[in-house]
Amino acid sequence: MRLLHTPELFHMLHARGSGSWLELEDTNVETKVRTVTPWLQLTFVWLVFVVTAGVYQVPATLLGGHCADSTAPCSIADELGLSPALQGWLPASFLLCKGLLALPAGVALHAYGPRRCLVLGIAMLAISTALFAVARSFHMLLLLYVAFGISYSLSGLVPLVVFVNGWFSAQQKATSIGLLVTAFSAAGVFWPPLTAWIAERHGWRLAAALLPCAAVAFALPIALFLLRDGRVAAVDDATIELNACSSIASSMHAAVESGTAGVSRAHHGAVRCARGGFHRGTDCLPAWVCDPVLWHLAAMSFEILYI
């Protein structure tokens, strides 16, 4: 029996253990990525919300007021001569449109994912706010406020909450959503003073141009290049599909016992549900109809707006 010298023994142990060391190192790196990435995504989406929440703050700041020392009109009412009654219709149209689109926006989130909806919503927000800065009549302002409601339905609180839920587990969702909502307060501190200061010195149109510039230069690049849909939501969807398939399998097993006609009906239901719906006996409903999260978000939007 040959005794191994210390160098040979060291190389043998290193050769046998290197795989485990590498696997352990890879596991640690993956764990760090899984831990850090959700909070980075929350940071990015928090910054996006500061910009998109400006659609609440900037137009409202510029609606009324008069500046005697300003070289240009510092408010919309000052330039266009809008009465308080006409001014009231502008935010009302925004909130009404936002409330009516809460459920369709939820369907879009379910179908295309929150990141795509955020990109589309921010792009629409940039276009509508840019047109707002050059609006010349009340009717154009009214249409733009409706566009604000459409864009905010795809880039406001509810889509951002859905995005955050995709990255955090059930134990962390309350904390993450609470931190996200603070962005709305931060926008309320940041946008009105800055907008009013610029409007007093350079007119309301230049002040209104700040929001589309921030959307194009800041929020849209973050949504396009840094945001990624989370994996937690994908796991939940897979669980729902697994439960649906289990229900289909049970119904098909019962149909086999009851006869050929039952097998045909169960197979028809399975084919329909494989196209994206939920199995309910021999019928199949679209997945979003039976999704309690979607209806909860719609109810939350309704409560925030009207209750």
Side-chain angles (χ1 to χ4, degrees):
M1 182 176 180
R2 187 173 68 90
L3 296 177
L4 295 176
H5 296 289
T6 302
E8 293 178 336
L9 181 62
F10 174 77
H11 288 302
M12 183 180 293
L13 292 176
H14 178 71
R16 291 185 177 181
S18 59
S20 300
W21 292 344
L22 291 175
E23 291 177 2
L24 181 59
E25 184 178 356
D26 292 342
T27 302
N28 292 336
V29 171
E30 184 178 358
T31 302
K32 291 179 180 178
V33 169
R34 290 181 179 179
T35 303
V36 174
T37 300
W39 296 105
L40 282 176
Q41 292 293 315
L42 178 60
T43 302
F44 296 149
V45 84
W46 190 92
L47 296 173
V48 168
F49 194 20
V50 171
V51 176
T52 59
V55 75
Y56 265 100
Q57 318 294 341
V58 174
T61 305
L62 299 175
L63 269 182
H66 177 72
C67 303
D69 299 332
S70 178
T71 57
C74 65
S75 69
I76 298 173
D78 193 15
E79 179 177 345
L80 301 181
L82 299 182
S83 65
L86 292 178
Q87 295 180 44
W89 278 106
L90 297 177
S93 62
F94 166 68
L95 293 175
L96 178 62
C97 181
K98 180 177 175 293
L100 293 176
L101 291 178
L103 187 57
V107 176
L109 287 169
H110 181 84
Y112 302 106
R115 177 183 170 273
R116 291 181 179 178
C117 292
L118 286 171
V119 171
L120 178 60
I122 294 171
M124 293 179 61
L125 181 69
I127 295 172
S128 58
T129 51
L131 293 175
F132 176 78
V134 296
R136 297 293 179 181
S137 66
F138 167 76
H139 295 93
M140 185 175 181
L141 288 173
L142 190 65
L143 292 176
L144 289 174
Y145 267 83
V146 172
F148 293 165
I150 298 173
S151 61
Y152 192 79
S153 297
L154 297 174
S155 62
L157 178 61
V158 173
L160 294 172
V161 168
V162 174
F163 180 88
V164 170
N165 280 338
W167 277 103
F168 289 89
S169 62
Q171 294 80 6
Q172 297 176 318
K173 284 182 179 179
T175 301
S176 59
I177 293 174
L179 292 174
L180 174 65
V181 173
T182 61
F184 191 87
S185 300
V189 174
F190 172 74
W191 285 111
L194 179 62
T195 303
W197 183 81
I198 295 178
E200 287 181 351
R201 287 159 178 78
H202 305 287
W204 73 271
R205 295 188 183 276
L206 184 61
L210 287 177
L211 187 56
C213 291
V216 172
F218 192 68
L220 193 58
I222 290 177
L224 281 172
F225 303 114
L226 297 179
L227 295 185
R228 295 291 182 270
D229 287 332
R231 295 181 292 270
V232 176
V235 173
D236 294 340
D237 291 340
T239 304
I240 293 174
E241 292 179 1
L242 180 61
N243 294 335
C245 291
S246 300
S247 176
I248 294 170
S250 301
S251 63
M252 291 184 68
H253 178 72
V256 169
E257 295 180 351
S258 61
T260 306
V263 171
S264 177
R265 290 194 300 269
H267 175 71
H268 178 66
V271 171
R272 293 180 64 189
C273 289
R275 296 174 181 173
F278 275 87
H279 184 70
R280 293 291 184 269
T282 58
D283 296 324
C284 186
L285 297 174
W288 63 268
V289 173
C290 305
D291 191 351
V293 176
L294 175 64
W295 292 99
H296 172 73
L297 291 173
M300 183 177 68
S301 296
F302 183 83
E303 180 186 9
I304 292 174
L305 285 174
Y306 303 113
I307 300 177

